[in-house]
Amino acid sequence: MIMKYIIPDDRKIRIAISGRSGCGNTTVSKLLAETLGIEMINFTFRSLAAETGLSLAEIIEKAKTDDSFDKAVDTRQVEMASKVSCVLGSRLAIWMLKEADLKVYLYADDDVRAERIFKREGGSLDEIKSFTKMRDTQDSARYKALYDIDNGNYSFCDLIIDTAKYTPDQIVDQIIAKLKESGLVRLG
């Protein structure tokens, strides 16, 4: 039986979900949005490339020396999220979407994350571990420089979930339980 959820009083709800690469952000965000019947917002460099006519490779290369690409993506996500009930799933969602009704941080240890990326993308597990560690370090430095965000501090979140312990469906169930407890959704 498929559950139908209702957002009370025709209000908008915004759920921000963040975590590092391989934590299941995209999977959980999509599943949650589908379950609630609301939009998932995931505006990325790939989206920006499609809008500007540049290739993804060109955007990534330009973003190395031009902060405006990161800022354009981050600003657009927040603008989109302010207009509709949604799940905003991104590395910075919990920090950037200040008015989020629920902030969720997903984490997993480095080995679990590397294993997931390996299953998704293939390659060498050792290279993935090395690349992921380097990417985490670069991302943290970039977020600090761009926005003065310490992405290692997520203690303010409403839910902090170790994704190694649960399936995506179980994680969505935990988020929905918190939404129901907060009066943000109810069964219809």
Side-chain angles (χ1 to χ4, degrees):
M1 179 177 129
I2 296 177
M3 303 265 193
K4 170 113 174 91
Y5 293 94
I6 295 173
I7 300 165
D9 303 321
D10 295 326
R11 66 169 288 180
K12 292 181 180 125
I13 64 166
R14 292 170 191 90
I15 303 154
I17 300 178
S18 293
R20 295 178 185 241
S21 178
C23 286
N25 302 350
T26 303
T27 301
V28 169
S29 295
K30 281 181 184 174
L31 186 58
L32 180 63
E34 287 171 10
T35 302
L36 294 174
I38 61 176
E39 192 172 326
M40 182 201 166
I41 296 178
N42 186 22
F43 191 85
T44 64
F45 276 167
R46 188 176 308 279
S47 310
L48 192 60
E51 272 190 8
T52 61
L54 297 171
S55 71
L56 178 59
E58 289 172 311
I59 294 278
I60 290 169
E61 191 57 38
K62 290 177 180 290
K64 289 179 181 177
T65 56
D66 184 347
D67 295 342
S68 70
F69 291 92
D70 276 297
K71 289 180 179 181
V73 167
D74 297 331
T75 301
R76 179 70 66 81
Q77 285 189 15
V78 171
E79 286 172 356
M80 292 167 76
S82 71
K83 296 176 181 170
V84 295
S85 288
C86 65
V87 177
L88 175 59
S90 78
R91 301 268 187 278
L92 295 179
I94 61 173
W95 292 277
M96 299 298 283
L97 190 59
K98 301 202 183 311
E99 70 274 14
D101 296 291
L102 188 72
K103 295 181 181 184
V104 181
Y105 189 81
L106 305 177
Y107 73 95
D109 73 36
D110 293 346
D111 289 334
V112 168
R113 293 170 49 224
E115 193 65 45
R116 288 178 178 162
I117 295 167
F118 174 74
K119 285 179 183 170
R120 181 178 68 212
E121 298 173 12
S124 158
L125 189 56
D126 287 337
E127 287 177 15
I128 289 169
K129 285 181 183 181
S130 175
F131 177 79
T132 302
K133 183 175 182 147
M134 181 263 310
R135 182 178 177 190
D136 288 346
T137 301
Q138 288 181 349
D139 285 352
S140 293
R142 196 169 76 250
Y143 303 152
K144 188 71 172 161
L146 282 173
Y147 303 113
D148 197 28
I149 289 172
D150 173 3
N151 71 330
N153 177 14
Y154 44 84
S155 60
F156 59 90
C157 288
D158 302 295
L159 283 172
I160 300 170
I161 302 170
D162 181 349
T163 63
K165 295 180 178 179
Y166 307 99
T167 67
D169 285 319
Q170 291 170 326
I171 294 166
V172 167
D173 288 346
Q174 290 180 51
I175 296 169
I176 288 176
K178 185 70 170 179
L179 289 167
K180 286 167 48 179
E181 173 188 308
S182 302
L184 295 168
V185 300
R186 61 181 165 78
L187 276 173

